Amino acid sequence: MQRYHYSPPKLKGSTKLIDVVDAQGHVQCRFKRIYKNLFVKLMYYWQNFDWYTQINVYSNDGELIYFCKKNSKWVRHPSYDIVNCQTNEVYHVTYTSFLNIAPEFLITSEAGEFTMKSSITDSVQFFYQRKEVARWNMKVTEFFKTYVEIEEDSPIQDVAFFICLFQCVFYIGD
């Protein structure tokens, strides 16, 4: 099992570059929130309205690896698209439940279908073929330090994918 941790920005609107560290203390990737333009950023700070959200994940060299964009809808829950910038593979993330307290998600791509289930205790399980292969947990008792664990039998082993997914969908959310 691979284990990673990071300390997300204290403010959801922050554009600070955050390091993701492995169990040996090495930085594996970095991420930050991106705003489409100055108007969108001002709307967020003025109304706390997240109708546009994007998280970019970078390699240690500063190369963009993944980005996740929120697709806002006027009536229903938003959907999300995660793009692998190296392979151009797109993962579509949609709600499968109508609960905002503990939502469930379906992730579809060329690689297959995945599901995610959230709990009210700031933890998320990521499933492939009904087996939990990754998890994300935010510890309030450790000043919101966040942990990501990836099992060896997960078809996706790239921590950058999971950081992009969990940070955009669950930290910023809808």
Side-chain angles (χ1 to χ4, degrees):
M1 176 187 323
Q2 300 175 44
R3 294 182 179 168
Y4 305 92
H5 68 274
Y6 63 94
S7 295
K10 304 301 179 222
L11 300 172
K12 284 174 45 173
S14 173
T15 58
K16 180 181 174 187
L17 194 61
I18 305 295
D19 292 340
V20 177
V21 181
D22 64 11
Q24 290 78 32
H26 301 108
V27 175
Q28 294 298 308
C29 61
R30 294 176 168 89
F31 71 91
K32 71 177 182 174
R33 182 174 181 166
I34 301 294
Y35 289 96
K36 191 175 196 174
N37 55 42
L38 183 61
F39 176 72
V40 171
K41 188 173 186 174
L42 291 173
M43 281 299 293
Y44 171 77
Y45 282 106
W46 182 52
Q47 292 288 325
N48 197 19
F49 185 56
D50 278 321
W51 62 276
Y52 177 84
T53 301
Q54 181 173 335
I55 296 291
N56 287 0
V57 181
Y58 303 94
S59 68
N60 288 339
D61 301 334
E63 181 183 346
L64 182 63
I65 305 171
Y66 285 93
F67 69 86
C68 181
K69 279 185 171 180
K70 176 181 176 181
N71 303 313
S72 295
K73 296 182 170 75
W74 289 103
V75 179
R76 299 176 304 181
H77 287 293
S79 63
Y80 301 86
D81 289 325
I82 300 172
V83 178
N84 182 331
C85 296
Q86 297 165 337
T87 64
N88 291 326
E89 185 172 8
V90 178
Y91 298 85
H92 299 287
V93 181
T94 56
Y95 280 81
T96 59
S97 69
F98 293 102
L99 298 174
N100 280 339
I101 296 172
E104 295 180 11
F105 296 87
L106 176 66
I107 301 145
T108 56
S109 74
E110 295 171 4
E113 287 190 354
F114 307 91
T115 56
M116 284 190 308
K117 293 182 181 178
S118 158
S119 70
I120 56 175
T121 60
D122 289 330
S123 66
V124 179
Q125 294 81 30
F126 185 85
F127 296 93
Y128 177 66
Q129 296 179 344
R130 298 183 184 166
K131 182 178 181 197
E132 183 180 6
V133 293
R135 65 199 59 78
W136 179 85
N137 193 6
M138 183 177 282
K139 302 269 187 175
V140 177
T141 58
E142 296 180 37
F143 299 107
F144 300 101
K145 190 171 184 179
T146 305
Y147 297 90
V148 175
E149 296 176 347
I150 306 170
E151 298 289 341
E152 293 162 0
D153 56 348
S154 174
I156 302 172
Q157 288 291 317
D158 194 356
V159 68
F161 169 81
F162 290 105
I163 295 298
C164 194
L165 171 69
F166 295 139
Q167 194 66 21
C168 192
V169 175
F170 292 103
Y171 184 75
I172 296 174
D174 56 355

Short mmCIF file of all heavy atoms in Angstrom, two decimals, residues 85-129:
data_model
loop_
_atom_site.label_atom_id
_atom_site.label_comp_id
_atom_site.label_asym_id
_atom_site.label_seq_id
_atom_site.Cartn_x
_atom_site.Cartn_y
_atom_site.Cartn_z
N CYS A 85 -3.19 14.89 -18.68
CA CYS A 85 -2.57 15.74 -19.71
C CYS A 85 -1.52 15.00 -20.53
O CYS A 85 -1.17 15.45 -21.62
CB CYS A 85 -1.96 16.97 -19.06
SG CYS A 85 -3.19 18.02 -18.29
N GLN A 86 -1.03 13.88 -20.04
CA GLN A 86 -0.02 13.13 -20.78
C GLN A 86 -0.64 12.16 -21.78
O GLN A 86 -0.09 11.92 -22.84
CB GLN A 86 0.89 12.41 -19.80
CG GLN A 86 1.65 13.40 -18.94
CD GLN A 86 2.28 12.78 -17.71
OE1 GLN A 86 1.84 11.73 -17.25
NE2 GLN A 86 3.29 13.44 -17.19
N THR A 87 -1.80 11.57 -21.44
CA THR A 87 -2.45 10.59 -22.32
C THR A 87 -3.75 11.11 -22.92
O THR A 87 -4.35 10.44 -23.74
CB THR A 87 -2.75 9.29 -21.55
OG1 THR A 87 -3.71 9.58 -20.52
CG2 THR A 87 -1.50 8.69 -20.95
N ASN A 88 -4.21 12.27 -22.47
CA ASN A 88 -5.48 12.87 -22.88
C ASN A 88 -6.69 12.01 -22.50
O ASN A 88 -7.77 12.17 -23.07
CB ASN A 88 -5.51 13.20 -24.37
CG ASN A 88 -4.56 14.32 -24.71
OD1 ASN A 88 -4.36 15.23 -23.91
ND2 ASN A 88 -3.97 14.25 -25.88
N GLU A 89 -6.52 11.09 -21.57
CA GLU A 89 -7.65 10.29 -21.09
C GLU A 89 -8.52 11.16 -20.18
O GLU A 89 -8.01 11.93 -19.36
CB GLU A 89 -7.16 9.07 -20.32
CG GLU A 89 -8.28 8.15 -19.92
CD GLU A 89 -7.79 6.84 -19.33
OE1 GLU A 89 -6.58 6.70 -19.07
OE2 GLU A 89 -8.64 5.97 -19.12
N VAL A 90 -9.84 11.03 -20.36
CA VAL A 90 -10.78 11.84 -19.59
C VAL A 90 -11.60 10.92 -18.68
O VAL A 90 -12.11 9.90 -19.12
CB VAL A 90 -11.72 12.64 -20.52
CG1 VAL A 90 -12.73 13.44 -19.71
CG2 VAL A 90 -10.93 13.55 -21.43
N TYR A 91 -11.71 11.31 -17.43
CA TYR A 91 -12.53 10.60 -16.45
C TYR A 91 -13.73 11.50 -16.14
O TYR A 91 -13.55 12.64 -15.71
CB TYR A 91 -11.75 10.34 -15.16
CG TYR A 91 -10.54 9.47 -15.35
CD1 TYR A 91 -9.31 10.01 -15.75
CD2 TYR A 91 -10.60 8.11 -15.11
CE1 TYR A 91 -8.20 9.22 -15.91
CE2 TYR A 91 -9.48 7.31 -15.27
CZ TYR A 91 -8.28 7.87 -15.67
OH TYR A 91 -7.17 7.08 -15.84
N HIS A 92 -14.94 10.99 -16.32
CA HIS A 92 -16.16 11.74 -16.02
C HIS A 92 -16.66 11.30 -14.65
O HIS A 92 -16.82 10.11 -14.40
CB HIS A 92 -17.23 11.49 -17.08
CG HIS A 92 -16.82 11.91 -18.45
ND1 HIS A 92 -16.74 13.23 -18.84
CD2 HIS A 92 -16.43 11.19 -19.53
CE1 HIS A 92 -16.33 13.30 -20.08
NE2 HIS A 92 -16.13 12.06 -20.53
N VAL A 93 -16.92 12.28 -13.79
CA VAL A 93 -17.37 12.00 -12.43
C VAL A 93 -18.77 12.58 -12.27
O VAL A 93 -18.97 13.78 -12.49
CB VAL A 93 -16.43 12.63 -11.39
CG1 VAL A 93 -16.88 12.31 -9.97
CG2 VAL A 93 -14.99 12.19 -11.62
N THR A 94 -19.73 11.73 -11.92
CA THR A 94 -21.12 12.16 -11.73
C THR A 94 -21.67 11.60 -10.43
O THR A 94 -21.24 10.54 -9.95
CB THR A 94 -22.02 11.69 -12.89
OG1 THR A 94 -21.92 10.26 -13.00
CG2 THR A 94 -21.62 12.33 -14.20
N TYR A 95 -22.63 12.30 -9.88
CA TYR A 95 -23.32 11.83 -8.67
C TYR A 95 -24.21 10.65 -9.02
O TYR A 95 -24.85 10.63 -10.07
CB TYR A 95 -24.22 12.94 -8.11
CG TYR A 95 -23.52 13.98 -7.29
CD1 TYR A 95 -22.85 15.04 -7.89
CD2 TYR A 95 -23.56 13.94 -5.91
CE1 TYR A 95 -22.22 16.01 -7.14
CE2 TYR A 95 -22.94 14.91 -5.14
CZ TYR A 95 -22.28 15.94 -5.76
OH TYR A 95 -21.67 16.89 -5.01
N THR A 96 -24.29 9.67 -8.12
CA THR A 96 -25.26 8.59 -8.27
C THR A 96 -26.31 8.64 -7.16
O THR A 96 -27.27 7.89 -7.19
CB THR A 96 -24.58 7.20 -8.23
OG1 THR A 96 -23.88 7.06 -7.00
CG2 THR A 96 -23.65 7.03 -9.41
N SER A 97 -26.09 9.52 -6.20
CA SER A 97 -27.05 9.69 -5.11
C SER A 97 -27.48 11.14 -5.06
O SER A 97 -26.81 12.02 -5.59
CB SER A 97 -26.44 9.27 -3.77
OG SER A 97 -25.43 10.19 -3.40
N PHE A 98 -28.59 11.37 -4.40
CA PHE A 98 -29.07 12.74 -4.28
C PHE A 98 -28.76 13.33 -2.91
O PHE A 98 -29.15 14.45 -2.61
CB PHE A 98 -30.59 12.78 -4.53
CG PHE A 98 -30.92 12.45 -5.96
CD1 PHE A 98 -31.39 11.21 -6.31
CD2 PHE A 98 -30.70 13.39 -6.95
CE1 PHE A 98 -31.68 10.90 -7.63
CE2 PHE A 98 -30.96 13.09 -8.27
CZ PHE A 98 -31.46 11.84 -8.61
N LEU A 99 -28.06 12.60 -2.07
CA LEU A 99 -27.72 13.08 -0.74
C LEU A 99 -26.47 13.94 -0.79
O LEU A 99 -25.48 13.57 -1.39
CB LEU A 99 -27.48 11.90 0.20
CG LEU A 99 -28.67 10.98 0.44
CD1 LEU A 99 -28.22 9.79 1.29
CD2 LEU A 99 -29.78 11.73 1.13
N ASN A 100 -26.51 15.08 -0.15
CA ASN A 100 -25.32 15.92 -0.05
C ASN A 100 -24.49 15.57 1.18
O ASN A 100 -23.33 15.91 1.27
CB ASN A 100 -25.71 17.40 0.00
CG ASN A 100 -26.01 17.94 -1.36
OD1 ASN A 100 -25.60 17.39 -2.37
ND2 ASN A 100 -26.76 19.02 -1.40
N ILE A 101 -25.10 14.87 2.14
CA ILE A 101 -24.39 14.55 3.37
C ILE A 101 -23.33 13.49 3.13
O ILE A 101 -22.20 13.62 3.56
CB ILE A 101 -25.39 14.08 4.45
CG1 ILE A 101 -26.33 15.24 4.79
CG2 ILE A 101 -24.66 13.59 5.68
CD1 ILE A 101 -27.47 14.85 5.69
N ALA A 102 -23.68 12.41 2.47
CA ALA A 102 -22.75 11.33 2.16
C ALA A 102 -22.96 10.89 0.72
O ALA A 102 -23.53 9.85 0.45
CB ALA A 102 -22.95 10.17 3.12
N PRO A 103 -22.49 11.67 -0.24
CA PRO A 103 -22.77 11.37 -1.65
C PRO A 103 -21.98 10.17 -2.17
O PRO A 103 -20.95 9.80 -1.63
CB PRO A 103 -22.35 12.65 -2.37
CG PRO A 103 -21.32 13.25 -1.48
CD PRO A 103 -21.72 12.90 -0.09
N GLU A 104 -22.50 9.61 -3.24
CA GLU A 104 -21.83 8.54 -3.97
C GLU A 104 -21.63 9.01 -5.41
O GLU A 104 -22.45 9.74 -5.95
CB GLU A 104 -22.67 7.27 -3.94
CG GLU A 104 -22.83 6.70 -2.56
CD GLU A 104 -23.66 5.43 -2.53
OE1 GLU A 104 -23.95 4.87 -3.61
OE2 GLU A 104 -24.01 5.01 -1.43
N PHE A 105 -20.53 8.57 -6.01
CA PHE A 105 -20.16 9.02 -7.34
C PHE A 105 -19.82 7.85 -8.24
O PHE A 105 -19.34 6.82 -7.78
CB PHE A 105 -18.93 9.93 -7.27
CG PHE A 105 -19.15 11.20 -6.52
CD1 PHE A 105 -18.98 11.25 -5.14
CD2 PHE A 105 -19.54 12.35 -7.17
CE1 PHE A 105 -19.19 12.42 -4.44
CE2 PHE A 105 -19.74 13.53 -6.48
CZ PHE A 105 -19.57 13.56 -5.11
N LEU A 106 -20.02 8.06 -9.54
CA LEU A 106 -19.61 7.11 -10.57
C LEU A 106 -18.55 7.79 -11.42
O LEU A 106 -18.73 8.93 -11.86
CB LEU A 106 -20.81 6.70 -11.44
CG LEU A 106 -20.49 5.79 -12.62
CD1 LEU A 106 -20.02 4.42 -12.12
CD2 LEU A 106 -21.70 5.64 -13.52
N ILE A 107 -17.43 7.09 -11.65
CA ILE A 107 -16.34 7.61 -12.46
C ILE A 107 -16.21 6.69 -13.66
O ILE A 107 -16.01 5.49 -13.50
CB ILE A 107 -15.03 7.64 -11.67
CG1 ILE A 107 -15.21 8.52 -10.43
CG2 ILE A 107 -13.88 8.15 -12.52
CD1 ILE A 107 -14.48 8.05 -9.26
N THR A 108 -16.33 7.25 -14.86
CA THR A 108 -16.24 6.45 -16.08
C THR A 108 -15.09 6.97 -16.94
O THR A 108 -14.84 8.17 -17.02
CB THR A 108 -17.55 6.49 -16.88
OG1 THR A 108 -17.87 7.85 -17.16
CG2 THR A 108 -18.69 5.85 -16.13
N SER A 109 -14.41 6.01 -17.57
CA SER A 109 -13.31 6.35 -18.49
C SER A 109 -13.06 5.14 -19.37
O SER A 109 -13.73 4.12 -19.26
CB SER A 109 -12.05 6.70 -17.71
OG SER A 109 -11.47 5.53 -17.18
N GLU A 110 -12.07 5.25 -20.23
CA GLU A 110 -11.67 4.13 -21.07
C GLU A 110 -11.13 2.99 -20.22
O GLU A 110 -11.20 1.83 -20.61
CB GLU A 110 -10.61 4.58 -22.07
CG GLU A 110 -11.10 5.59 -23.07
CD GLU A 110 -9.97 6.15 -23.90
OE1 GLU A 110 -8.81 5.72 -23.75
OE2 GLU A 110 -10.25 7.05 -24.72
N ALA A 111 -10.59 3.31 -19.04
CA ALA A 111 -10.00 2.30 -18.16
C ALA A 111 -11.06 1.49 -17.43
O ALA A 111 -10.75 0.45 -16.85
CB ALA A 111 -9.07 2.96 -17.15
N GLY A 112 -12.29 1.95 -17.41
CA GLY A 112 -13.34 1.22 -16.73
C GLY A 112 -14.22 2.13 -15.88
O GLY A 112 -14.16 3.35 -16.00
N GLU A 113 -15.00 1.51 -15.03
CA GLU A 113 -15.89 2.25 -14.13
C GLU A 113 -15.42 2.08 -12.70
O GLU A 113 -15.04 0.98 -12.28
CB GLU A 113 -17.32 1.75 -14.26
CG GLU A 113 -18.00 2.17 -15.53
CD GLU A 113 -19.49 1.87 -15.52
OE1 GLU A 113 -19.98 1.23 -14.57
OE2 GLU A 113 -20.15 2.28 -16.48
N PHE A 114 -15.48 3.17 -11.97
CA PHE A 114 -15.10 3.20 -10.57
C PHE A 114 -16.25 3.86 -9.80
O PHE A 114 -17.04 4.60 -10.38
CB PHE A 114 -13.83 4.02 -10.37
CG PHE A 114 -12.68 3.59 -11.24
CD1 PHE A 114 -12.49 4.16 -12.49
CD2 PHE A 114 -11.82 2.60 -10.83
CE1 PHE A 114 -11.44 3.77 -13.30
CE2 PHE A 114 -10.77 2.19 -11.63
CZ PHE A 114 -10.58 2.78 -12.87
N THR A 115 -16.30 3.61 -8.51
CA THR A 115 -17.28 4.30 -7.66
C THR A 115 -16.56 4.88 -6.46
O THR A 115 -15.49 4.40 -6.07
CB THR A 115 -18.40 3.35 -7.19
OG1 THR A 115 -17.82 2.25 -6.51
CG2 THR A 115 -19.25 2.86 -8.34
N MET A 116 -17.17 5.91 -5.90
CA MET A 116 -16.66 6.53 -4.68
C MET A 116 -17.82 6.71 -3.72
O MET A 116 -18.92 7.07 -4.13
CB MET A 116 -16.09 7.93 -4.95
CG MET A 116 -14.77 7.97 -5.60
SD MET A 116 -14.08 9.64 -5.61
CE MET A 116 -15.37 10.63 -6.30
N LYS A 117 -17.53 6.48 -2.46
CA LYS A 117 -18.53 6.70 -1.42
C LYS A 117 -17.91 7.56 -0.35
O LYS A 117 -16.81 7.30 0.12
CB LYS A 117 -19.01 5.38 -0.83
CG LYS A 117 -19.78 4.54 -1.82
CD LYS A 117 -20.27 3.27 -1.21
CE LYS A 117 -21.01 2.45 -2.26
NZ LYS A 117 -21.49 1.19 -1.74
N SER A 118 -18.65 8.55 0.05
CA SER A 118 -18.20 9.47 1.07
C SER A 118 -18.93 9.18 2.37
O SER A 118 -20.05 8.69 2.36
CB SER A 118 -18.48 10.89 0.59
OG SER A 118 -18.54 11.78 1.65
N SER A 119 -18.31 9.50 3.48
CA SER A 119 -18.98 9.39 4.77
C SER A 119 -19.02 10.78 5.40
O SER A 119 -18.34 11.70 4.95
CB SER A 119 -18.26 8.40 5.68
OG SER A 119 -17.03 8.94 6.09
N ILE A 120 -19.77 10.91 6.44
CA ILE A 120 -19.89 12.23 7.08
C ILE A 120 -18.69 12.55 7.96
O ILE A 120 -18.61 13.62 8.54
CB ILE A 120 -21.20 12.34 7.89
CG1 ILE A 120 -21.30 11.22 8.92
CG2 ILE A 120 -22.39 12.35 6.96
CD1 ILE A 120 -22.50 11.33 9.82
N THR A 121 -17.73 11.65 8.05
CA THR A 121 -16.55 11.86 8.88
C THR A 121 -15.34 12.29 8.06
O THR A 121 -14.21 12.00 8.44
CB THR A 121 -16.21 10.58 9.67
OG1 THR A 121 -15.95 9.54 8.73
CG2 THR A 121 -17.33 10.19 10.60
N ASP A 122 -15.55 12.94 6.94
CA ASP A 122 -14.47 13.43 6.08
C ASP A 122 -13.55 12.33 5.58
O ASP A 122 -12.33 12.47 5.52
CB ASP A 122 -13.64 14.51 6.78
CG ASP A 122 -14.41 15.80 6.94
OD1 ASP A 122 -15.27 16.07 6.08
OD2 ASP A 122 -14.15 16.53 7.90
N SER A 123 -14.14 11.20 5.21
CA SER A 123 -13.37 10.12 4.59
C SER A 123 -14.11 9.65 3.35
O SER A 123 -15.33 9.74 3.26
CB SER A 123 -13.13 8.96 5.56
OG SER A 123 -14.34 8.33 5.87
N VAL A 124 -13.35 9.16 2.38
CA VAL A 124 -13.90 8.72 1.11
C VAL A 124 -13.24 7.39 0.73
O VAL A 124 -12.02 7.24 0.87
CB VAL A 124 -13.63 9.76 -0.01
CG1 VAL A 124 -14.19 9.30 -1.33
CG2 VAL A 124 -14.19 11.11 0.38
N GLN A 125 -14.05 6.46 0.23
CA GLN A 125 -13.54 5.20 -0.27
C GLN A 125 -13.70 5.17 -1.79
O GLN A 125 -14.74 5.58 -2.30
CB GLN A 125 -14.29 4.00 0.34
CG GLN A 125 -14.09 3.83 1.82
CD GLN A 125 -14.97 4.74 2.65
OE1 GLN A 125 -16.07 5.09 2.25
NE2 GLN A 125 -14.47 5.15 3.79
N PHE A 126 -12.69 4.66 -2.47
CA PHE A 126 -12.66 4.57 -3.93
C PHE A 126 -12.69 3.09 -4.28
O PHE A 126 -11.85 2.33 -3.81
CB PHE A 126 -11.38 5.24 -4.44
CG PHE A 126 -11.28 5.33 -5.93
CD1 PHE A 126 -11.85 6.38 -6.62
CD2 PHE A 126 -10.59 4.36 -6.65
CE1 PHE A 126 -11.74 6.49 -7.99
CE2 PHE A 126 -10.47 4.45 -8.02
CZ PHE A 126 -11.05 5.51 -8.69
N PHE A 127 -13.67 2.66 -5.09
CA PHE A 127 -13.88 1.25 -5.38
C PHE A 127 -13.66 0.94 -6.86
O PHE A 127 -14.03 1.74 -7.72
CB PHE A 127 -15.32 0.83 -5.03
CG PHE A 127 -15.63 0.95 -3.56
CD1 PHE A 127 -16.19 2.11 -3.05
CD2 PHE A 127 -15.38 -0.10 -2.71
CE1 PHE A 127 -16.48 2.23 -1.71
CE2 PHE A 127 -15.68 0.00 -1.36
CZ PHE A 127 -16.23 1.16 -0.86
N TYR A 128 -13.11 -0.25 -7.10
CA TYR A 128 -13.01 -0.81 -8.45
C TYR A 128 -13.52 -2.24 -8.37
O TYR A 128 -13.02 -3.04 -7.57
CB TYR A 128 -11.57 -0.77 -8.95
CG TYR A 128 -11.38 -1.39 -10.30
CD1 TYR A 128 -11.95 -0.82 -11.43
CD2 TYR A 128 -10.65 -2.56 -10.46
CE1 TYR A 128 -11.79 -1.39 -12.68
CE2 TYR A 128 -10.48 -3.14 -11.70
CZ TYR A 128 -11.06 -2.54 -12.81
OH TYR A 128 -10.90 -3.11 -14.04
N GLN A 129 -14.53 -2.55 -9.16
CA GLN A 129 -15.18 -3.86 -9.16
C GLN A 129 -15.60 -4.26 -7.74
O GLN A 129 -15.31 -5.36 -7.26
CB GLN A 129 -14.28 -4.93 -9.78
CG GLN A 129 -14.00 -4.67 -11.23
CD GLN A 129 -13.08 -5.70 -11.85
OE1 GLN A 129 -12.40 -6.46 -11.17
NE2 GLN A 129 -13.05 -5.72 -13.18
#
